[in-house]
Structure formats: structure tokens, C-alpha cells
Amino acid sequence: MKKYIVSLTVALVCGVAVSSASDFNTLIPRPSEMTQTLSDVTMPIGMTVSSPADFVDDAGRFVAAVNAATNLNATLADANGFIALSVNHAIPAEGYTMTISPRGVDIQASSASGAFYALQTIKQLMGANVLAGKPGETAATYALPIGTIKDQPRYEYRGFMLDVSRHFFEAGEIKKMLDLMAVYKLNRFHWHLTDDQGWRLPVKKYPKLTVQGATNRNILRTDFAQQKQWREGEDAVYGPFAYTPEEVHEIVAYAKERHIEVIPEIDMPGHMVAAIHAYPEFSTDPKSKKLDVHEDFSHEIWNKRGVSRDVLDVSNPKVIRFVKDVIDELVEYFPYEYIHIGGDECPTLAWEHSKSCQKLIKKLGLKDVRELQSWFTKEISDYANTHGRKIIVWNEVITEPNANMELIKEINPVVFCWLGGEQKAEANGLRHVYTPFNGGYYINRSYEGVDKHGAGRDGSLKKSITVMPPLHDNLIGIQGTFWTEEVDRPEDLEYLALPRLIGIAEQAWSTQVNKDYDEFLDRIIQHRAYLDLGGYNYGAHQLQK
Ligand code: ACM
């Protein structure tokens, strides 16, 4: 990428077309194996791309992207393209091989995802403007190094989570993040759609969720550029903010074209006050107007840090029906195997005070309120299974004292470890994802030594690229997780998430177990041109030596 930028500068200065080869050593994530010669091959005007039926949609989108950014006038061909894709079942899922010779580029993959990632690699080698979908210099030519790449991801789960409850982010901003995820070969968008502060997913049978449940007041505002934080006052209404059904479908489809699965999260049975605000009958104490149980027990929508004590009354059949109805809706929107049902930070105070929860505990022969959560999780998981779906949970579902591991093992959930739990998941044979909150993977934490506001103030690119996941057989991947209690502007989402999410992507794909931070920094600095052209507002101070 760097050489390409240099050649553009030369072309601008001299007013002539200059061909330049790109460099495998600038690629992020770094491929598993690569050999590169000093020679290169120029991509011809009228370049053809041939593809078997299996990959033709991806090949067509590649041709369109190239033509939007260059004068190459690429076209699809039946066979013998300058770029020739073919199926090879011996190649691992999502992997590819690429041989670049003076005649062109031979790509082999066993899946459309593998073919897509090969074409993403070519786009990255072509340069920032192709990645950003922006027309380059008219005189520019594009060349690839003669050489070979053999590539496959380290992990099957390479994720980015965005919380759209604490603050709402428009569909357009989500698509912008999905574009970047695709460039760096991330493949799961974990969409945290509900929490105490707002419910953002339309559910046909419960229309108040996206009206009363999606309207907050006097929320926390932060402006990282000005290093300011404030509240607008009790009268300042925020919302209602929710996605339309069309937007949800659009985001799922947009992600799919980029080989990204969308994993919806409906956080339960805690983190539910937005829903309870809309439907107080879902609380253990529907009539409670205020603080009967605890100062943090109220049906008011939440607008501070921390979590409400007002949680779902899991002993109420209407609540179980509600959750099942929500699962039905999720199944309609999201075509993938996994549904995330949260389970983190669930206070049990309300259940301790609830006669009907206590009665249910006795009837089911459970030990205590925490076992009641395990029982609830199993109920919902069993229901998801009837739709052919499986569930994901946060680590508290296994790490809270008195969690019933017999029940949990029957559920066999994927466990997202943010506050430990990796060892317990591994010991119990549960597949898990590593996203430690204090280890560089909570990429909403503001920057150490830079930011006055925001969570943590201990973040850095260096942490995100040097904290290594445990070497567990059952570890299926890692995730960059982004909470938004203190982030409401799209530019600040980008400022904090980037460049760290690119570091996470490197870790998720590359098989290099111990990272050389200086080498990675040299490489990622060369990606500034893409971030600039793509209009991303990244933490530029992280990209300096
Ligand atoms: C979490 O950060 N509460 C999963």
C-alpha cells in the first residue's frame, strides 16, 4: 500500500502514469504463508475475472468495486480470466491460495468466503482508493507482486460487538463499520440491541418496546474531540430511536454480502428495564412506582452507568411467552445458527423479594435465585433449539457462584468471556470467545494518557495487539467489544474503535502467536490512507512511532 501511495504522488507531480507493485508485507491481517519476488505483473485495462458458479456473486461484486475505483474496465469472463477463481475442496473453510504470475492470478478456495477473502487481499494490494471505493488518480496503474499466498484464519469467530442501546447508532454508521470489518476479514457482527437504556429491535407483538422502551431522557453526552462530557437536563428527550424492520433486513443483507454473520443479542433476564418500562407487568413488582425494594429498583428507563435491579420476573408465564415471542422474531430477522441471550450482570434482589419466584424455586427443587437464572437460561435455550438455533451467553452464566453447571452443560452454549470464565469454559468443554474487558479487547475504553472522559482510560493499540488469547482447544475466537454508555457520536465510535479493531482483526486471523508490536505498527501506519479515504475518524495518536 505504501509503495502505491508513493507512486500516486510521483504520478501527480510528473503527470504521467507510473506502475508500482504493492507489497505482501503491508497486508493486514498477515497471511499464513507468503513468498514474494521482486517482479510484478500489471493489471491490464479490460482485465477479466473468471469464476465458477459458486463464487460468481463475489467475483461480480469485486469487478464492480474495481470499476468504481479505477479505469481498469474489468469484466466477468467464463474461463481463463486474468484473475481466475476455481474450487479446490482440499482448502480449509474460509482459506484460499493465490498464485500471482506474469500471466495473472490463480485463486483457489473451497468456499465462497475463501474466494471473497482472496479478492479482499487483492483489493488491499491494489491500494487505499480501491478499498475505500473511491476513484483513484486517472493515470494510476495497478500492479501485483509475482508470488504466492496460502492463507486461512486462525479462528472461526472474528467479531466486533456494538452496543446500540446506551446510545443509538444509525444503520448507515453500522454499514460503514461492516465495510471496515470486511476489509480486515472479520466475520461476525454482534449487535447488542437491548439493554436497560433502550430497546432498538422492532417486535410485532410488543409495539411499545420501540416507543416507550426506546425513549430516554437526559442521557450522558461526550465529545472526545473537545474532551467534554455533559448532560442536557431532565427535559432533554432522547428518542424514540429504533431500527425499522426494513433496516434490520438491510443490515443483515449488507453484512451477508461481506461474509459477515449478524448475531443479535437480547440481553436477559437482567439489563431489561427498557422493556419493563414499556411493559411493567414483566417486573416482579409491576405496581412499584419507586424504590420499594432498592434505590436501583424502578421501572424508569435507565440513564446512568451500572445496571438496574429491576429484572424480568422469570416466574411469570407471560414473561416466558414474551421472551419466546422475541426469539420467534429474531428467527425471522436473522438466518444464522446463533442467538445471544446475554445473561451477564443479573441482580437477583428482585427474585429474592418475589413470592412467586420463591415459590417456583421450591417447586422446581432449585437451590437459590442463581439456579433460577440457570433454569431460565435452559428454558429459553430449549425454545431456541426448537427453531434449530443455539445460544450464546456472557460468562456470568457459568461463573456466578451457584450457577447450575449440569443444566448449563446440557445447553452447551458458546460462552463470551469478558470477566474470566475461559478456564471454566475450557474445563467443561464449552466453546468460548475471548473478549477481556481490561485486556485491550473492550475497544470503547478511552485512551490512556490522552482522554479525559470515557470508560477505563487505559486503552491502547499496543494492548489490543499484544494481549494474546489463551491456547484453548475450545476457544473459537476473539472479539472487539464496544459499549456505548459514554459514546454517542459516530465519530467517537470510530475514534475509539479504530485503529484497535484492526489490531483485533490481525489477532483473530493471523496465525502468528506472539506479536511483534513494532512490526505491526509499521504495517498499520500504512493503512492510514485507507482510513482517511474511507472517512473514518480514527485515534491517530495510536498510529505514531
Ligand atoms: C458486559 O460487559 N457486561 C458483558
Side-chain angles (χ1 to χ4, degrees), residues 173-191:
E173 183 60 20
I174 292 178
K175 289 183 182 170
K176 193 175 172 190
M177 293 305 290
L178 291 169
D179 284 339
L180 181 129
M181 288 175 69
V183 165
Y184 295 107
K185 303 186 172 86
L186 291 165
N187 68 348
R188 297 287 188 277
F189 174 54
H190 168 187
W191 203 0

Side-chain angles (χ1 to χ4, degrees), residues 155-174:
Y155 294 117
E156 70 181 70
Y157 186 104
R158 306 182 298 280
F160 168 56
M161 189 209 86
L162 181 62
D163 164 15
V164 295
S165 168
R166 275 58 180 269
H167 288 90
F168 181 71
F169 290 84
E170 301 281 354
E173 183 60 20
I174 292 178

Side-chain angles (χ1 to χ4, degrees), residues 422-527:
E422 307 85 33
Q423 309 299 341
K424 190 163 184 185
E426 182 70 3
N428 284 282
L430 298 176
R431 293 182 312 141
H432 50 291
V433 166
Y434 185 65
T435 183
F437 92 104
N438 62 356
Y441 291 45
Y442 266 35
I443 52 175
N444 61 289
R445 289 174 85 97
S446 47
Y447 293 112
E448 189 167 9
V450 179
D451 294 320
K452 286 214 297 239
H453 303 287
R457 296 194 285 284
D458 61 356
S460 70
L461 176 63
K462 186 167 187 177
K463 259 194 190 171
S464 300
I465 193 72
T466 52
V467 173
M468 302 310 292
L471 300 172
H472 286 172
D473 293 342
N474 291 301
L475 184 71
I476 61 167
I478 66 172
Q479 173 166 287
T481 296
F482 199 101
W483 300 103
T484 60
E485 283 97 332
E486 299 191 47
V487 182
D488 62 340
R489 307 184 323 149
E491 53 268 54
D492 290 332
L493 157 61
E494 295 170 13
Y495 163 73
L496 292 171
L498 306 175
R500 286 180 282 175
L501 185 59
I502 303 173
I504 300 285
E506 169 76 11
Q507 295 236 47
W509 181 283
S510 150
T511 45
Q512 190 185 358
V513 171
N514 288 306
K515 291 288 170 202
D516 174 343
Y517 179 63
D518 290 332
E519 181 282 320
F520 180 74
L521 189 57
D522 282 340
R523 198 154 28 110
I524 193 172
I525 283 172
Q526 298 178 61
H527 287 242

Side-chain angles (χ1 to χ4, degrees), residues 166 267 271 344-345 394-396 418 437 442 481 483:
R166 275 58 180 269
D267 205 342
H271 291 266
D344 57 319
E345 300 180 311
W394 291 107
N395 66 260
E396 285 92 325
W418 72 284
F437 92 104
Y442 266 35
T481 296
W483 300 103

Side-chain angles (χ1 to χ4, degrees), residues 203-336:
V203 181
K204 284 187 286 295
K205 289 190 183 162
Y206 303 89
K208 288 196 281 181
L209 290 172
T210 46
V211 184
Q212 289 88 336
T215 309
N216 210 330
R217 274 178 194 279
N218 195 21
I219 56 153
L220 194 63
R221 298 286 195 180
T222 311
D223 178 331
F224 280 85
Q226 305 216 29
Q227 299 279 335
K228 277 193 342 204
Q229 191 165 68
W230 71 100
R231 286 184 190 267
E232 288 174 336
E234 288 302 326
D235 295 337
V237 176
Y238 182 81
F241 292 128
Y243 302 99
T244 64
E246 293 72 29
E247 284 175 323
V248 177
H249 290 304
E250 219 176 277
I251 284 170
V252 171
Y254 194 86
K256 186 162 188 270
E257 284 191 354
R258 288 154 183 77
H259 292 263
I260 297 167
E261 291 187 11
V262 181
I263 296 180
E265 181 185 350
I266 304 295
D267 205 342
M268 63 182 83
H271 291 266
M272 265 284 172
V273 167
I276 292 173
H277 179 64
Y279 296 94
E281 60 267 36
F282 297 160
S283 168
T284 52
D285 187 1
K287 295 209 167 56
S288 171
K289 287 276 179 289
K290 62 178 175 62
L291 320 190
D292 292 349
V293 175
H294 186 277
E295 60 172 344
D296 284 342
F297 184 95
S298 140
H299 309 327
E300 282 310 302
I301 208 158
W302 195 254
N303 74 355
K304 36 185 181 174
R305 296 181 187 86
V307 294
S308 169
R309 301 287 202 284
D310 194 7
V311 305
L312 291 180
D313 176 3
V314 298
S315 69
N316 179 350
K318 277 200 187 128
V319 167
I320 302 292
R321 184 68 261 158
F322 160 65
V323 172
K324 290 179 177 177
D325 287 339
V326 172
I327 301 274
D328 290 346
E329 196 90 16
L330 290 180
V331 166
E332 279 184 32
Y333 283 127
F334 302 97
Y336 304 111

